[in-house]
Amino acid sequence: MMASFLRAPAVWLVALLLLAAAALPWLTQGEYALSYGINVLQYSVLATAWALFSGPTRYISLATTAFFGLGAYTVAVFSETLPWFGILAVAVLLAIVLALVVGLSTLRLSGVHFVIFTFGLAELVRQLVTWYEVNVTKSIGRYVFLEITHQEIYWQLLALLALVLLVGALIRGSRLGLALRVIGEDEVVARHLGMNTTRAKVLLFVISATFMTLVGAVMAPRWTYIDPAIAFNPTVSFQVLIMALLGGAGHLLGPLAGVIPLTALFELLSARFPNHFAILLGVTFLLIVYLLPQGVAGWLSQRAGRWRKGAKQEART
Amino acid sequence: MLLVELIVASLTLGGLYALIAMGLTLQYGVARIMNLSHGEFMVGAGFMAFWLVTSLGAHPLWALALALPAGFCLQWLVYRVLLTPLVKRALSPAALEADSILATFGILFIVQGVLLVLFGGGYYSYDFLSMPVDVLGVPVAANRLLAAVAALCMGLAVYAVLARSRWGAALRAMANAPQFAHLVGIDPRAMAAFAFGLGGALVMGAGVLVSMFLPFSASMGVVFTMKALVIVIMGGVGNVLGCLLAGLLLGAVETLTARFLDPGLTMAAVFGIFLLVLLLRPQGLFGRARA
């Protein structure tokens, strides 16, 4: 399987692009380019991780912020007591526990229960953290003093992107990936084929959540000050959702096609129309639902399918 | 004393939650649209009442009288214009569910954005009947009491319509077996639009009532939607009476949590109950398991 994976030209193209992206901090000196690059990479990993679970299962997850914030806040709490990789390990452990709680309680039920639960999850975690800080540590907000430069953040995010793409490709080729595709098409059929649908969904949700948490952890040193309202910012979930949808959650590289235009658009909108951001976000949502329900990747493959069909018909006549 | 105080506080809060959730359970149970912009329309009605009361000097009950038909028309239009194309396009109920969730997210952000542009992010309230009234020896704010009574009346009126009238029978038929409703002469689209509008009337009425005694802000809707969703699931989807009881239960749990533990933990309490329901009775406290 690995051998056939390495023969695909797309794999080499992606690897080449990632290497080129890795060289970017040396090529440009501008602080702005680097921070924009960090922004793009952050959403790239989040959207790819989102689609990893929601693409095949078709469950709309709004838990992104909860996991992202969990990672960021773990860094804020342990930044002075643990080494960097220790912090990341703690963040991953917490992510697995939270994802298991959410997954095991909702994923054996219908999609609606899952959506509702994740809809409020970030707010729940934010309130719990705030409560803990107010009552136990008696101070809200923490400072993050870590010797991590923006370049290092950039490379860590890039490494995460490579990793999430690799994991995604491996899952797609595996038994788990096949099981998930069947579940997405028809869960009843999947169950009748003898698949443990809940276990497959929970497993994938945990993997996806782990990546989201790691992004939060890696991003934390960028802020020097973190409080629950900063870490658990609810718009992150919606932005990631809309990016993945625009790109197309059905394809591994699809979300990236949504991240690149939308990070640019959101950057522009929040700079030029800060007060109208929510309205424009809503309009973008509606436009995608009505005009591009399958995302860019789905639209392209549909076009390609039609084109191939046309070519065949021409060849016949 | 404490007991009466707690019961009154639970009933006033729970009654409003039930009213908000009742609109949602009608929309989801009959029209099969998971309307995540529900809370935004509630907050919007609150702002409408604020504007009518402070700029035009109108009585808040006039705002309520206006909000009910306005809510109906607005949401009826939303269903007809924005959601009907999705209903027509959907190949399966699951596809419609996903599409409607995404479309109502869009509506959520647009309504919230318009409110933010018009009013900013601050908290608003107006002064109306804020003197205390004596209930069994406990002072209760009159506006809170009025809101609870109005919520109860509206809730019971809806229940009576559903239980007694032909319309109600048609709505219940749609909720039970949407695929067969047309066989008995029900136009499913018209009935779904009607239910959606009715839900809109209820939620905008609830918004005016909330604005009478709670400070509100443009970004508050999502939390109300969240609580309404939990109540809908707890009561059993499409079950109006279950919704009423679940709403009261949630109001009681929140009141007790705020009083004896910490007001900052109300969301955790809501989620705690939700988790219990999901683990023990996923069809809802008062729902029957689907075959």
Side-chain angles (χ1 to χ4, degrees):
Chain A
M1 196 211 105
M2 201 65 198
S4 69
F5 173 68
L6 286 177
R7 269 201 301 275
V11 174
W12 290 103
L13 190 67
V14 171
L16 210 64
L17 283 174
L18 286 174
L19 277 178
L24 193 80
W26 287 309
L27 298 176
T28 62
Q29 300 300 318
E31 195 59 26
Y32 179 76
L34 189 63
S35 95
Y36 183 65
I38 288 176
N39 207 12
V40 170
L41 282 179
Q42 170 198 352
Y43 282 112
S44 298
V45 185
L46 289 174
T48 310
W50 184 89
L52 204 62
F53 170 73
S54 298
T57 59
R58 305 192 182 184
Y59 280 29
I60 297 170
S61 166
L62 290 166
T64 313
T65 299
F67 291 109
F68 179 89
L70 185 70
Y73 219 81
T74 309
V75 173
V77 172
F78 293 106
S79 68
E80 283 175 0
T81 47
L82 285 177
W84 182 235
F85 282 98
I87 301 174
L88 293 185
V90 172
V92 167
L93 270 179
L94 290 173
I96 292 174
V97 171
L98 183 62
L100 281 177
V101 169
V102 177
L104 288 175
S105 54
T106 58
L107 286 176
R108 57 199 178 86
L109 307 169
S110 75
V112 174
H113 297 90
F114 176 77
V115 177
I116 297 175
F117 203 95
T118 60
F119 190 48
L121 189 65
E123 179 66 18
L124 169 72
V125 179
R126 190 184 68 78
Q127 280 199 4
L128 285 178
V129 171
T130 309
W131 180 82
Y132 182 84
E133 297 280 51
V134 169
N135 290 285
V136 181
T137 56
K138 308 279 182 201
S139 78
I140 201 152
R142 289 163 179 273
Y143 290 92
V144 183
F145 296 117
L146 281 170
E147 296 282 322
I148 296 180
T149 63
H150 281 190
Q151 265 138 359
E152 282 163 342
I153 294 177
Y154 179 90
W155 282 319
Q156 289 183 40
L157 286 172
L158 198 66
L160 273 180
L161 180 61
L163 199 61
V164 74
L165 288 174
L166 181 69
V167 168
L170 291 179
I171 289 176
R172 277 173 171 259
S174 70
R175 280 171 63 90
L176 177 63
L178 184 64
L180 287 161
R181 275 204 295 280
V182 179
I183 293 170
E185 291 296 326
D186 195 328
E187 190 160 346
V188 180
V189 169
R191 245 182 252 144
H192 282 287
L193 287 172
M195 292 173 189
N196 187 338
T197 56
T198 306
R199 201 177 63 193
K201 285 186 284 185
V202 171
L203 187 61
L204 202 65
F205 185 59
V206 169
I207 295 173
S208 156
T210 304
F211 277 106
M212 293 171 175
T213 309
L214 282 173
V215 175
V218 167
M219 288 295 288
R222 213 180 168 213
W223 301 296
T224 41
Y225 172 84
I226 289 185
D227 67 21
I230 298 176
F232 298 98
N233 171 12
T235 41
V236 172
S237 290
F238 291 101
Q239 291 190 2
V240 167
L241 166 65
I242 198 169
M243 285 169 183
L245 286 176
L246 173 65
H251 193 276
L252 181 61
L253 299 175
L256 298 183
V259 168
I260 291 161
L262 282 183
T263 41
L265 182 72
F266 289 153
E267 186 97 357
L268 193 75
L269 292 181
S270 55
R272 297 194 58 183
F273 308 99
N275 297 326
H276 298 76
F277 185 73
I279 302 181
L280 294 164
L281 186 66
V283 171
T284 323
F285 252 104
L286 288 181
L287 286 179
I288 291 174
V289 174
Y290 288 102
L291 302 179
L292 266 179
Q294 302 294 320
V296 174
W299 182 75
L300 280 177
S301 66
Q302 230 171 27
R303 287 295 293 252
R306 246 182 251 159
W307 185 75
R308 255 182 248 133
K309 229 185 197 168
K312 259 185 215 159
Q313 271 166 358
E314 248 170 58
R316 247 181 256 145
T317 50
Chain B
M1 277 303 259
L2 181 65
L3 189 68
V4 178
E5 191 187 314
L6 286 176
I7 290 175
V8 172
S10 305
L11 286 179
T12 47
L13 190 66
L16 275 164
Y17 281 164
L19 191 64
I20 298 167
M22 220 178 257
L24 197 65
T25 207
L26 277 178
Q27 294 185 335
Y28 187 52
V30 179
R32 308 275 148 173
I33 299 283
M34 183 75 148
N35 182 5
L36 295 179
S37 62
H38 199 61
E40 267 55 41
F41 284 92
M42 189 211 93
V43 175
F47 276 107
M48 188 196 79
F50 173 81
W51 180 75
L52 284 174
V53 172
T54 52
S55 316
L56 304 182
H59 194 274
L61 287 177
W62 280 112
L64 181 62
L66 189 68
L68 294 173
F72 183 90
C73 297
L74 204 61
Q75 298 262 34
W76 189 85
L77 273 176
V78 165
Y79 185 84
R80 280 293 181 187
V81 176
L82 286 173
L83 298 172
T84 308
L86 297 181
V87 176
K88 280 187 188 154
R89 177 174 97 185
L91 296 172
S92 67
L96 175 62
E97 204 161 272
D99 273 354
S100 64
I101 285 171
L102 298 172
T104 52
F105 273 145
I107 300 171
L108 181 165
F109 281 110
I110 292 175
V111 176
Q112 194 185 70
V114 169
L115 291 176
L116 278 173
V117 169
L118 290 178
F119 296 96
Y123 277 85
Y124 284 77
S125 65
Y126 54 86
D127 197 41
F128 170 64
L129 282 182
S130 48
M131 70 279 196
V133 177
D134 193 77
V135 180
L136 298 175
V138 177
V140 182
N143 48 21
R144 212 179 159 102
L145 206 60
L146 177 76
V149 171
L152 198 67
C153 293
M154 280 161 66
L156 287 177
V158 170
Y159 180 69
V161 166
L162 285 178
R164 298 279 166 199
S165 74
R166 269 185 82 80
W167 263 353
L171 282 175
R172 281 182 290 134
M174 283 278 293
N176 278 335
Q179 68 275 39
F180 301 128
H182 68 277
L183 294 180
V184 289
I186 297 169
D187 177 356
R189 295 266 166 75
M191 207 35 100
F194 176 75
F196 210 77
L198 201 58
L202 288 178
V203 79
M204 290 198 55
V208 175
L209 294 178
V210 166
S211 74
M212 288 178 186
F213 70 95
L214 272 184
F216 49 96
S217 78
S219 46
M220 210 171 71
V222 176
V223 174
F224 279 92
T225 310
M226 176 65 223
K227 286 175 184 168
L229 287 169
V230 171
I231 294 170
V232 167
I233 299 291
M234 265 166 63
V237 172
N239 182 342
V240 171
L241 207 58
C243 195
L244 187 67
L245 293 173
L248 291 175
L249 181 66
L250 201 71
V253 169
E254 271 200 16
T255 307
L256 292 177
T257 309
R259 182 73 176 71
F260 292 111
L261 287 172
D262 194 303
L265 287 180
T266 48
M267 193 73 177
V270 170
F271 258 77
I273 307 185
F274 189 37
L275 206 59
L276 279 181
V277 170
L278 288 180
L279 294 177
L280 303 177
R281 279 190 72 86
Q283 71 273 31
L285 294 176
F286 312 103
R288 262 167 298 167
R290 295 242 167 112

